[in-house]
């Protein structure tokens, strides 16, 4: 158990809908990262937040957005869902006070878009 | 474009064998290289390598980084069925702290 929690574990929805995935980082970690893992693309970095502010952006679609709240939990919002958005979405956290970036992953949310 | 390539994509061995997994990278601004093990769920952290030539070891697993040749290897000795997993290599970029992942090596250890 990494200490990172994600809810829900599974989500099944229809095309065109909007969903919100939630992540709570390990206690004391200020950085939260979101990743998408699909069979053909592997793990793809989406976005990073540090202490409430966006720090880095990866291959995140405009239909997706995220935020990190004052209590450091983060939410990833996916809208106008398409079949191709079906994937495992991971959240990871890291402690920024170490010089290097060891990320710990949550259990993931499996999103299925029908 | 930042790129991490792992080989082989898939490997099937017998218990007791030794395996070597490869990871090569081409990135703009290297900070560290990380290895993760992914079974059915989330990737779990194995090693972080920042300096060339220094081996990191944990039980039967070890890893080394060559920053000149831009690659790393992960060795697993005396493999066990519990080692069956996808092993992911990732490079952290100094400029943005993001991790760029390879597509992984799927290791299957048969009894």
């Amino acid at each position: 158990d990494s200490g990172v929690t994600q809810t829900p574990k599974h989500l099944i929805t229809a095309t065109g809908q909007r969903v919100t995935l939630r992540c709570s980082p390990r206690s004391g970690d200020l950085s939260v990262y979101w990743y998408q893992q699909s069979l053909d693309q592997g793990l793809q970095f989406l976005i990073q937040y540090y202490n409430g502010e966006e720090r880095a952006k990866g291959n995140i679609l405009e239909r997706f957005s995220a935020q990190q709240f004052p209590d450091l939990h983060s939410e990833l919002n996916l809208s106008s869902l398409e079949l191709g958005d079906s994937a495992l979405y991971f959240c990871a956290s890291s402690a920024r006070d170490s010089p290097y970036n060891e990320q710990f992953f949550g259990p993931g949310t499996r999103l299925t878009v029908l | 474009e930042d790129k991490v390539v792992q080989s082989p994509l898939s490997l099937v061995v017998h218990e007791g064998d030794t395996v070597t997994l490869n990871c090569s990278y081409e990135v703009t601004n290297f900070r560290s290289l990380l290895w993760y093990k992914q079974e059915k769920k989330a990737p779990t952290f194995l090693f972080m390598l920042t300096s060339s030539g220094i081996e990191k070891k944990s039980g039967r697993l070890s890893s080394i980084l060559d920053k000149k040749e831009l690659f790393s290897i992960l060795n697993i000795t005396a493999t066990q069925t519990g080692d069956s997993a996808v092993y992911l290599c990732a490079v952290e970029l100094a400029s943005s702290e993001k991790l760029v992942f390879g597509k992984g090596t799927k290791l299957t250890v048969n009894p």
Side-chain angles (χ1 to χ4, degrees):
Chain A
D1 184 356
S2 67
V4 179
T5 60
Q6 289 186 249
T7 56
K9 284 186 183 174
H10 300 277
L11 199 46
I12 301 174
T13 188
T15 54
Q17 295 298 303
R18 174 190 168 93
V19 297
T20 297
L21 313 184
R22 184 189 165 103
C23 166
S24 292
R26 293 186 318 159
S27 177
D29 284 359
L30 298 179
S31 270
V32 168
Y33 307 78
W34 286 98
Y35 291 88
Q36 179 192 59
Q37 187 176 40
S38 56
L39 279 173
D40 55 340
Q41 291 292 321
L43 258 173
Q44 298 282 315
F45 168 73
L46 294 177
I47 197 163
Q48 179 205 356
Y49 278 82
Y50 173 70
N51 203 20
E53 297 203 0
E54 184 184 302
R55 177 64 67 94
K57 229 170 181 176
N59 304 322
I60 188 165
L61 299 171
E62 282 190 19
R63 300 183 285 108
F64 297 0
S65 64
Q67 53 185 328
Q68 186 180 28
F69 295 86
D71 67 352
L72 301 177
H73 91 270
S74 178
E75 292 181 357
L76 179 67
N77 300 297
L78 315 176
S79 61
S80 303
L81 284 168
E82 301 175 359
L83 296 177
D85 298 328
S86 296
L88 254 177
Y89 291 84
F90 287 108
C91 164
S93 74
S94 73
R96 191 64 175 87
D97 59 359
S98 68
Y100 297 103
N101 188 21
E102 185 177 321
Q103 294 183 19
F104 294 88
F105 282 74
T109 292
R110 182 170 292 283
L111 173 66
T112 303
V113 182
L114 300 175
Chain B
E1 188 189 335
D2 299 312
K3 196 164 60 171
V4 176
V5 177
Q6 292 186 245
S7 64
L9 288 178
S10 180
L11 193 51
V12 180
V13 300
H14 292 291
E15 261 191 322
D17 288 352
T18 293
V19 297
T20 298
L21 311 184
N22 303 293
C23 174
S24 64
Y25 60 91
E26 283 180 42
V27 300
T28 47
N29 202 350
F30 176 93
R31 187 175 200 182
S32 64
L33 185 143
L34 300 92
W35 284 96
Y36 286 85
K37 177 182 181 182
Q38 186 175 25
E39 295 171 89
K40 290 187 179 173
K41 294 185 179 177
T44 53
F45 174 80
L46 293 175
F47 297 111
M48 174 187 286
L49 301 144
T50 55
S51 303
S52 253
I54 297 175
E55 186 183 45
K56 290 268 181 109
K57 204 168 164 62
S58 175
R60 296 176 295 102
L61 277 67
S62 64
S63 183
I64 197 158
L65 172 67
D66 186 329
K67 285 168 82 171
K68 185 178 174 191
E69 299 297 329
L70 309 182
F71 79 89
S72 174
I73 58 171
L74 176 68
N75 279 320
I76 309 175
T77 59
T79 52
Q80 301 171 357
T81 54
D83 295 327
S84 296
V86 174
Y87 290 83
L88 297 166
C89 171
V91 171
E92 185 197 1
L93 306 183
S95 50
S96 67
E97 298 171 28
K98 74 175 195 181
L99 293 182
V100 178
F101 278 86
K103 294 202 172 178
T105 293
K106 182 177 179 182
L107 174 65
T108 304
V109 182
N110 289 324

